[in-house]
Structures are given as C-alpha cells and as structure tokens.
Amino acid sequence: MASRKPTSKVETLPMPEMGRRVLIKGQQTKSVIIDAALGLASQIGLEGLSIGALAEVTGMSKSGVFAHFGSREELQISVIREYHTRFEAEVFYAAMQKPRGVPRLQAMFDNWMVQTSAEIDSGCIYISGAVEFDDRTGPVRDALASTVSTWQTALRRAVELAQNEGHLSRDSDAYQIAFEIHGLILALHYEARFLRNPGAAERARQGFAHVLARHAQAATKPVATFTKAQR
C-alpha cells in the first residue's frame, strides 16, 4: 500500500484561521518595512526613499517591498503617517495626563523638546519634509501638511484651554502664542542641528518661559487706580 503523504500544519488549519495568520504576518512585515523606512527617511529625507533602497536595507526583494505599498509615493505617505502616530503618542497623548491649562501646555512643550533633542542627529521629518515639499503639489505634500496642521491645531487648542483656565490672558491671540512656541522649536532645530550651538536647548526653554510670562502678566495685571488729584 502506498505510503500516505503527511499532512502539513497549513493544510489542517481552517481557511478563516489561515487567512487571519497570513494577514497578521503581512501586517507584521509591513510594520518592519515602515520602521526601516522611517529610520532611512530621518537620515536622507523623504525624497531619498525608494523601493530599491528599502529593499537593500531590509534584505527583501524589490517586488516584496513593492507588494506592500504599490508605489514610492504610497511608501512616503505611510512613513509620514507612522511618524505622526509616534509623535502624537510621545508628545501629545503623554501630556494629556496633566491638568488643563499651563501644566498641560508645559508638558507638551517639554515632550516636544525631548523629541527634538533626540532628532538633532537624525533629523525631523516635519522639518526636513517641509524643506523638500514646500514648493510642490501632490499627495505626499498634502499628507505632510495635514499632519503638521493637526499638531498645530492641538497646540493652539492647548493654549486656548490655558486661557479658559485663567492661566493666560484671554486678550492674547492664541494663534500668536502657538506660532511663537512653534518658532522656538524651529530655532532650536536650526541652532542645534546646523550650527551645533550647545546652548540652544536652554535658550528654547527660556523663550517658552518668556512667552508664558508675557501673556500671563496681562491676565494678572492690577487695575489702575487714580487719586482725586489725578482725575
């Protein structure tokens, strides 16, 4: 009697279970590729990303990498989304544990400082991407601009909450305050990464303290009183 061919584990799995495992494996592989792409983009920019370069870094075939994204453009957009997800987790959501108002705004800035300081050697995709795509149109620029706008809106909302809590003056322009805070981070990145100024981080912290003090003073400014002679 002919020997019976042994049944493989894959053949004995129910079809739905097989499909689920294949899907999970595919998602895990894609996560590994995106993680490698994020590291590569931090070093050489979004424009430096290519299916070929990523295949070489991950040790995969070009067709294997291409199958997960379909195009270089989709790869770039996936990297932007992943960077934004990590940025939100480390900078924004981590600060949500603090009370509304200046404590939360301070935590957001502190977390942002930590993030920026960690990226001095590698580079910030928000900043480098803006340089690469500021004069272009298309889905990659749109994705990058959308994520930056989302963060700026969250920052401005934190300022508005600080005003609502009475920590900052309601007469102050929340857009202006958020603009100045964003400017401090951009200056820090330029001074520390390009000029290698060792005092840049401390200057950024002092700048933030000055912004808060300037707008808080208006909230606590005493009402002027006049004597009869002055009247």
Side-chain angles (χ1 to χ4, degrees):
M1 183 174 65
S3 61
R4 185 177 179 182
K5 181 181 178 182
T7 304
S8 70
K9 291 184 179 180
V10 174
E11 290 174 338
T12 60
L13 285 173
M15 288 304 295
E17 178 67 13
M18 288 176 59
R20 189 177 72 84
R21 291 195 179 187
V22 170
L23 178 61
I24 291 175
K25 182 175 175 56
Q27 291 173 338
Q28 291 173 338
T29 301
K30 187 173 183 178
S31 294
V32 170
I33 296 173
I34 291 178
D35 189 64
L38 184 55
L40 195 59
S42 297
Q43 294 289 339
I44 63 177
L46 288 168
E47 271 297 270
L49 280 181
S50 67
I51 300 295
L54 198 52
E56 184 175 347
V57 169
T58 58
M60 297 178 61
S61 65
K62 290 183 180 181
S63 59
V65 175
F66 185 84
H68 287 281
F69 300 98
S71 68
R72 176 171 175 264
E73 186 177 82
E74 185 56 39
L75 169 62
Q76 292 170 319
I77 292 174
S78 295
V79 168
I80 291 170
R81 289 172 178 164
E82 179 63 20
Y83 180 83
H84 182 68
T85 296
R86 296 185 185 189
F87 184 92
E88 277 191 324
E90 296 174 10
V91 178
F92 177 71
Y93 290 120
M96 291 300 100
Q97 306 303 318
K98 298 294 183 179
R100 289 184 175 185
V102 166
R104 184 175 296 180
L105 183 61
Q106 179 73 59
M108 289 171 68
F109 182 77
D110 290 343
N111 294 343
W112 201 0
M113 283 284 294
V114 171
Q115 175 85 4
T116 303
S117 298
E119 293 176 335
I120 292 303
D121 292 328
S122 61
C124 171
I125 286 180
Y126 281 164
I127 297 174
S128 63
V131 173
E132 292 176 308
F133 292 92
D134 61 349
D135 58 350
R136 303 187 187 186
T137 59
V140 177
R141 184 193 187 284
D142 292 346
L144 184 62
S146 176
T147 57
V148 173
S149 295
T150 297
W151 166 237
Q152 289 184 328
T153 299
L155 180 62
R156 186 179 69 253
R157 178 57 179 159
V159 172
E160 292 170 345
L161 288 174
Q163 291 176 310
N164 293 340
E165 294 295 322
H167 299 163
L168 298 177
S169 172
R170 290 177 181 270
D171 294 331
S172 298
D173 184 351
Y175 281 84
Q176 180 65 30
I177 297 174
F179 181 90
E180 292 178 20
I181 294 173
H182 191 192
L184 290 171
I185 295 296
L186 294 178
L188 167 62
H189 193 84
Y190 188 91
E191 289 274 338
R193 182 169 168 79
F194 180 58
L195 299 180
R196 301 296 178 183
N197 181 351
E202 182 55 34
R203 290 189 180 279
R205 292 190 183 93
Q206 288 183 17
F208 181 74
H210 292 163
V211 170
L212 294 186
R214 187 169 70 253
H215 293 284
Q217 285 172 357
T220 59
K221 185 177 180 180
V223 178
T225 58
F226 300 93
T227 64
K228 290 183 178 180
Q230 289 175 317
R231 294 174 187 173

